[in-house]
Amino acid sequence: MRTLKNFEKKQRGTSSFPCALYRVDKDHPSYEMPFHWHTEYEIIVVREGEIELAVNDRSEILRKGDVLFLSDGTLHGGAPKGDGTVYDCIVFDGGIVTKNSTAGEIREIFRHGRTVRSFMPLADYPEISLCARNLADALIDAETEISGGGEIICLGLILQFFGNVIRYGCCENGYTETNRHISRLKNALAYMEEHYPEKVTLEDLAEAAGVTPKYLCRSFCSLTGKTPISYLNEYRIDCACELLRTTDDSMLEIAGLCGFSDQSYFVRLFKRQKGITPGQYRSNALS
């Protein structure tokens, strides 16, 4: 079964060029980005509309042209504002940079000796935004023109991006460690990802996080605006979307695989979250 967790762990690009672009619009199963983290680095650039994105315990609204940079292991997630948002996620292995650049200032970013600013709005950093957009477009072109120098062009744009980050003062010495509060929330999220097909209680999540249920609810609502169980059910619905797009499983089977013992409740919750029924979602995906 292909869960969202497995999707995050999939091979990025190729073994020689581990970099991939994910363009997300309202038809994407994870249009509302679930909170997660990964060992790769990520550049997010908004192409249309607005999205509220949280990085660890800080939240910002990004608009067209704004850029977000994420270091490895950074907890992040967010929600678009309306149905018209389109955003590009460029996910890459830091080895791409360290193997192809001798610039000490850039290499220190991936050795955790320097920290890149997370939020970089278009109004303040137009050159960085332009470079991120050009990189996203080049990665789309490289999918069909990889033998025509596409990887070299993309690599050059990645290095140019970090060159601009340093040039325009978006990089400082030192590395910010993940605090204990975020580490606990990661433990709760990891438990959700592993056990979402099963019955999961608030007490289960609190035990995984090493805190009391009351503390977990307060921390979770502060980060996501949702209770842990509400967030878990939304995660389950996103997993169901992936199955609706990629399998021929029945609604009853998909409901069970995603942790819903009651099919009618699954359909009702799905429609509340996505605005359409699971059957309509599958029809739209196939067309």
Side-chain angles (χ1 to χ4, degrees):
M1 177 176 176
R2 184 178 179 224
T3 67
L4 294 183
K5 179 181 178 182
N6 291 332
F7 181 77
E8 280 302 308
K9 286 186 167 185
K10 69 180 288 189
Q11 172 69 48
R12 314 288 188 184
T14 64
S15 58
S16 63
F17 191 71
C19 178
L21 170 79
Y22 304 103
R23 177 158 288 176
V24 182
D25 60 20
K26 65 181 180 61
D27 295 322
H28 194 281
S30 296
Y31 183 54
E32 184 166 331
M33 185 190 296
F35 278 83
H36 65 288
W37 65 97
H38 35 71
T39 58
E40 301 96 337
Y41 294 76
E42 184 170 5
I43 300 167
I44 297 175
V45 57
V46 181
R47 307 305 294 250
E48 298 290 343
E50 300 180 354
I51 181 172
E52 184 173 4
L53 286 168
V55 177
N56 291 330
D57 53 2
R58 179 188 170 192
S59 180
E60 293 278 353
I61 294 178
L62 275 70
R63 299 174 175 83
K64 184 176 181 178
D66 291 348
V67 173
L68 175 69
F69 175 77
L70 298 163
S71 186
D72 56 334
T74 304
L75 180 65
H76 58 285
K81 302 291 186 179
D83 292 335
T85 300
V86 180
Y87 58 99
D88 288 337
C89 302
I90 303 162
V91 187
F92 61 96
D93 189 297
I96 288 180
V97 179
T98 56
K99 291 177 183 177
N100 292 282
S101 173
T102 58
E105 288 180 300
I106 293 180
R107 293 170 69 91
E108 277 300 298
I109 293 171
F110 299 93
R111 292 171 176 166
H112 294 164
R114 308 195 79 191
T115 299
V116 174
R117 180 175 300 166
S118 295
F119 298 98
M120 293 176 276
L122 169 64
D124 296 331
Y125 306 104
E127 293 83 0
I128 293 174
S129 173
L130 177 61
C131 191
R133 284 177 279 137
N134 287 342
L135 173 57
D137 292 340
L139 283 165
I140 291 177
D141 293 340
E143 291 181 3
T144 55
E145 300 179 19
I146 209 70
S147 60
E151 286 187 6
I152 298 173
I153 292 172
C154 293
L155 174 60
L157 287 167
I158 291 173
L159 295 176
Q160 183 182 353
F161 174 86
F162 286 104
N164 281 326
V165 162
I166 294 168
R167 171 182 289 178
Y168 294 106
C170 294
C171 192
E172 59 186 28
N173 291 330
Y175 182 70
T176 303
E177 295 289 343
T178 301
N179 63 41
R180 182 178 297 180
H181 167 70
I182 296 301
S183 295
R184 287 168 171 167
L185 291 176
K186 281 184 175 182
N187 289 337
L189 288 166
Y191 188 91
M192 287 184 191
E193 291 180 344
E194 185 174 354
H195 296 280
Y196 74 90
E198 309 163 15
K199 181 180 178 180
V200 176
T201 66
L202 177 61
E203 288 71 23
D204 293 331
L205 295 171
E207 183 178 354
V211 297
T212 65
K214 184 177 180 180
Y215 179 94
L216 180 64
C217 282
R218 186 169 64 247
S219 299
F220 219 91
C221 287
S222 175
L223 176 69
T224 69
K226 306 178 180 78
T227 67
I229 298 302
S230 294
Y231 185 88
L232 170 62
N233 284 331
E234 291 191 9
Y235 181 82
R236 286 167 165 162
I237 294 298
D238 283 344
C239 291
C241 287
E242 188 66 25
L243 291 175
L244 287 166
R245 293 167 64 96
T246 59
T247 74
D248 295 324
D249 293 345
S250 69
M251 298 301 166
L252 181 60
E253 290 173 319
I254 290 175
L257 287 169
C258 295
F260 297 103
S261 57
D262 185 332
Q263 183 182 351
S264 61
Y265 177 66
F266 162 65
V267 173
R268 195 162 60 249
L269 197 62
F270 191 103
K271 188 172 183 180
R272 185 190 308 164
Q273 183 171 328
K274 299 298 182 182
I276 55 177
T277 66
Q280 290 170 325
Y281 183 91
R282 172 172 272 170
S283 296
N284 291 346
L286 291 174
S287 62

